[in-house]
Amino acid sequence: MNSPDTIGTTRRWTMLACSLIAAMTTTCVVSGIAYLIPALHAEGMSVSRASVLAAVPTVGLMMAIIGWGSLLDRHGERVILTISLSLTLMAAIATALAAWQSAPFTVLAALLFLGGLSSGAANGASGRIVVGWFPAAQRGTAMGVRQMAQPLGIAVCALSMPAIAQHLGIAAALVVPVVVTALGLLACVLGIVDPPSARTIAAAPARNPYRDSWFLARVHAVSVLLVIPQSMLWTFVPTWLIVARHWSPATAGVLVTITQTLGALGRIAAGRWSDAWLSRMRPIRLIAVVAGVAMGVLALTDWADSPVCVVVMMVASIVSVADNGLAFTAIAEFAGPRWSGRGLGIQNTAQYLATAATTPLFGALITAVGFPLAFAASAVAPVIAAPLVPRDQLPQPEPVSVDTPG
């Protein structure tokens, strides 16, 4: 049986930290190009066309992430993460070299697609680590720490890539995902250990948790709606600050970094909140309501050209990322070790599909009517999500493995 007592507390949290670093690679490889939209625009590319390029790695990621999840369920996280991150590192290096050689749009798009395709395991991993190595009363907090990977990855990209692109060029900025991926691969090889019963459970006959309840499907649907304002802010806030509000790339990068760091801490706070409430879904419902209000206020204050809009943007960015760890924890707990990889893969595929579909739409909307109406449009999604949040359900029972005499 999975037992948190089989390793020490320090080892458990160190392993989670290594998993976090590994997961940051997906964020940097998939989302980093969005922070080069201002530089691409300065070189003559339209915001709409640059937005399409920014969506390409997301398309690659969503096409492969369920498959990576199935491999995680079958073979464990350590081996599959090592393979995935090795392929991702090669794709990131090739992308930076192609940009250095001024490769055409289609070549860059193809390499970004391959980077997204290969990075899916890191994004869907950690379900077993959290459920297998952490007691139930700590899982919300632990998954909140793991889910810091996205905002921290965004913070790294926002702080470094626009400024590097401005002074050294786009190719130099694309070295940032290379470095992060190399560190993630090293952390995975040195720090991650699969829970002892993971392979035994994975080999047992699997009961599909999607057939027994609508719980997982509803969590996926809510998460898709809540990721729309989150991805819109991650993708377009640097452009909003630099192009629309005339901030320097360095200053905009610092602000986005501060915001994403606070968002990362917010995910831990939301996880602790869910542990204290013994509920993953009730906090998500409240987060959805607050996110809808914050995006609406952002639209109004930006339309009025109020300086308060920057503070409102920070609040909206922090709130909009707070639900991810709670949803991941609920999915990993309910699906169990034999389905957590696929469940989290489905979750991420749906979210990235929404991101890939809405990023070019928001880019076109911004080009046509400006940022305030785009912010208002993204406020609709969390309003729809709030009443769809399901009630909490108990995790699926795990099978008991009985050793037979050899």
Side-chain angles (χ1 to χ4, degrees):
M1 295 290 291
N2 289 0
S3 174
D5 297 330
T6 59
I7 63 172
T9 300
T10 301
R11 183 73 180 89
R12 184 184 309 141
W13 287 98
T14 300
M15 194 186 313
L16 186 65
C18 291
S19 177
L20 182 154
I21 297 170
M24 285 177 63
T25 65
T26 302
T27 301
C28 291
V29 168
V30 172
S31 301
I33 189 67
Y35 292 87
L36 299 180
I37 291 177
L40 293 168
H41 181 63
E43 292 189 357
M45 187 179 294
S46 69
V47 173
S48 179
R49 186 171 171 83
S51 299
V52 172
L53 193 64
V56 166
T58 300
V59 175
L61 176 62
M62 74 181 185
M63 289 182 63
I65 199 167
I66 294 178
W68 282 118
S70 181
L71 291 173
L72 289 166
D73 287 336
R74 184 179 297 272
H75 300 290
E77 295 187 340
R78 179 182 170 85
V79 172
I80 300 305
L81 280 174
T82 301
I83 295 171
S84 173
L85 292 175
S86 297
L87 295 173
T88 304
L89 180 59
M90 289 188 285
I93 292 172
T95 303
L97 290 175
W100 181 56
Q101 296 176 350
S102 301
F105 181 92
T106 52
V107 173
L108 283 175
L111 291 172
L112 288 167
F113 175 82
L114 290 175
L117 197 72
S118 60
S119 67
N123 201 65
S126 304
R128 291 169 192 258
I129 290 174
V130 171
V131 175
W133 289 126
F134 286 83
Q138 294 180 359
R139 288 174 187 165
T141 305
M143 191 62 85
V145 172
R146 158 59 181 82
Q147 288 301 98
M148 289 174 65
Q150 285 181 308
L152 288 180
I154 293 295
V156 169
C157 292
L159 183 64
S160 61
M161 294 182 74
I164 293 174
Q166 183 185 30
H167 293 97
L168 300 176
I170 291 174
L174 287 170
V175 174
V176 173
V178 174
V179 173
V180 174
T181 303
L183 292 174
L185 177 59
L186 182 64
C188 172
V189 171
L190 296 180
I192 293 178
V193 178
D194 290 316
S197 65
R199 190 163 297 177
T200 301
I201 290 176
R207 183 181 181 183
N208 188 338
Y210 289 90
R211 294 179 180 174
D212 301 327
S213 169
W214 284 98
F215 177 76
L216 291 179
R218 289 182 66 176
V219 172
H220 295 327
V222 168
S223 296
V224 164
L225 290 166
L226 293 181
V227 84
I228 291 174
Q230 171 185 313
S231 64
M232 191 271 183
L233 291 168
W234 280 1
T235 302
F236 293 106
V237 159
T239 306
W240 175 64
L241 292 171
I242 295 167
V243 176
R245 306 200 70 82
H246 312 295
W247 287 38
S248 70
T251 305
V254 169
L255 180 66
V256 173
T257 299
I258 293 171
T259 302
Q260 294 300 326
T261 302
L262 292 174
L265 296 175
R267 288 189 171 189
I268 298 178
R272 297 210 31 138
W273 178 15
S274 75
D275 288 338
W277 277 18
L278 300 177
S279 170
R280 315 300 180 201
M281 296 297 105
R282 286 163 57 202
I284 289 179
R285 188 176 296 109
L286 184 56
I287 288 167
V289 172
V290 176
V293 172
M295 291 304 299
V297 174
L298 175 57
L300 288 174
T301 54
D302 187 38
W303 174 75
D305 198 25
S306 169
V308 176
C309 67
V310 174
V311 177
V312 177
M313 177 277 295
M314 295 180 68
V315 173
S317 297
I318 294 166
V319 172
S320 68
V321 303
D323 66 286
N324 287 54
L326 306 181
F328 265 58
T329 306
I331 291 167
E333 288 178 330
F334 187 82
R338 294 176 299 166
W339 268 86
S340 63
R342 279 165 286 185
L344 294 176
I346 292 169
Q347 167 84 350
N348 281 308
T349 299
Q351 287 186 307
Y352 279 109
L353 178 60
T355 298
T358 57
T359 295
L361 292 177
F362 278 120
L365 187 62
I366 290 166
T367 300
V369 298
F371 280 97
L373 285 179
F375 290 142
S378 68
V380 175
V383 173
I384 297 173
L388 297 180
V389 178
R391 293 184 178 181
D392 289 278
Q393 291 194 20
L394 295 174
Q396 294 289 291
E398 296 178 4
V400 177
S401 176
V402 178
D403 294 331
T404 55

